[in-house]
């Protein structure tokens, strides 16, 4: 069951530096939301606050609220590990575990959860996740080979399979195609379209055409200058953002006047 995300008055800090300022927004279930904006505007930082991934950086913290179906993921009694299981993440560069087989890569998250699982159960998860990532037919005969032996596009789909194997409800993708060739990019974009029938998907991309192709809603982040915090300038249905944005800064960015 995919989930609704509500963000209220969120500020993100690294020590004394405020990286992102005063973001409030709602992301509906089973939609794709894209964040665009120039480098350094805080969009990837913001994305990482949605599953507490930014906390792995010493000194990073937030104030404000991130609610997942009404529950604050920053609540005092909430385990960040559980948050990251519910809200999976796919990174910019494909990062399969290099010493692990394709099979072991897919079940890595389940192994971390502990508990004994039958081999047949794991086999089912591997097949279901690789099918979900549109990779099964390409790798079903070499599941015991290293994941690092796949092409870049296949590795990224393997990372998506690994993310969905633990059955999250939200998938975050931080520029998932920036290291890939056009054909692999198209494969990932097709996959995003299929995955949104089951998951709430949030993607950060530098590629505006990609945002226009894959997302239902687009948010534009910007910053007033170097050393200033990033802000969400506007967020609207993707078609509106690209054809009739409310803010001049959005229009300027989309038309290539800066960024």
């Amino acid at each position: 069951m995919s989930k609704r995300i509500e963000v209220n008055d969120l500020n993100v800090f690294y020590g004394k530096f405020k990286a992102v300022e005063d973001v409030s927004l709602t992301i509906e279930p089973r939609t794709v939301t894209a964040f665009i904006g120039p480098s350094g505007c805080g969009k990837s930082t913001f994305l990482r606050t949605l599953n507490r991934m930014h906390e792995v950086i010493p000194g990073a913290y937030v104030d404000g609220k991130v609610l997942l179906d009404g529950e604050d993921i920053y609540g005092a009694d909430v385990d960040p590990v559980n948050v990251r299981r519910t809200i999976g993440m796919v990174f910019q560069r494909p990062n399969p575990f290099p010493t692990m087989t394709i099979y072991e890569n897919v079940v890595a998250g389940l192994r971390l959860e502990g508990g004994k699982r039958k081999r047949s159960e794991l086999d089912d998860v591997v097949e279901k996740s690789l099918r979900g990532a549109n990779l099964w037919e390409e790798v079903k005969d070499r599941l015991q080979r290293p994941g690092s032996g796949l092409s870049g596009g296949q590795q990224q789909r393997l990372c998506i399979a690994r993310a969905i194997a633990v059955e999250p409800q939200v998938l975050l993708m931080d520029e998932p195609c920036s290291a890939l060739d056009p054909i692999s990019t198209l494969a990932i974009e097709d996959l995003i379209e299929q995955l949104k029938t089951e998951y709430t998907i949030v993607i950060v991309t530098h590629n505006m055409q990609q945002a226009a192709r894959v997302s239902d809603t687009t948010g534009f982040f910007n910053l007033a200058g170097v050393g200033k915090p990033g802000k969400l300038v506007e967020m609207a249905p993707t078609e509106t953002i690209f054809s009739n944005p409310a803010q001049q800064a959005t229009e300027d960015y989309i038309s290539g006047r800066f960024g």
Side-chain angles (χ1 to χ4, degrees), residues 19-30:
V20 177
E21 183 169 72
D22 200 22
V23 175
S24 295
L25 55 82
T26 300
I27 295 168
E28 296 297 339
R30 294 201 171 99

Side-chain angles (χ1 to χ4, degrees), residues 5-77:
I5 300 170
E6 285 176 81
V7 178
N8 298 324
D9 306 322
L10 192 78
N11 296 281
V12 188
F13 297 87
Y14 292 115
K16 291 193 173 127
F17 173 65
K18 187 190 276 189
V20 177
E21 183 169 72
D22 200 22
V23 175
S24 295
L25 55 82
T26 300
I27 295 168
E28 296 297 339
R30 294 201 171 99
T31 60
V32 179
T33 299
F35 292 123
I36 60 171
S39 293
C41 67
K43 55 193 186 297
S44 286
T45 294
F46 173 71
L47 187 76
R48 286 159 181 262
T49 66
L50 298 180
N51 73 344
R52 300 183 59 168
M53 202 72 202
H54 69 294
E55 290 180 353
V56 300
I57 297 169
Y61 67 98
V62 305
D63 67 19
K65 288 198 166 169
V66 177
L67 306 174
L68 190 65
D69 275 2
E71 186 183 350
D72 187 0
I73 68 167
Y74 287 92
D77 54 348

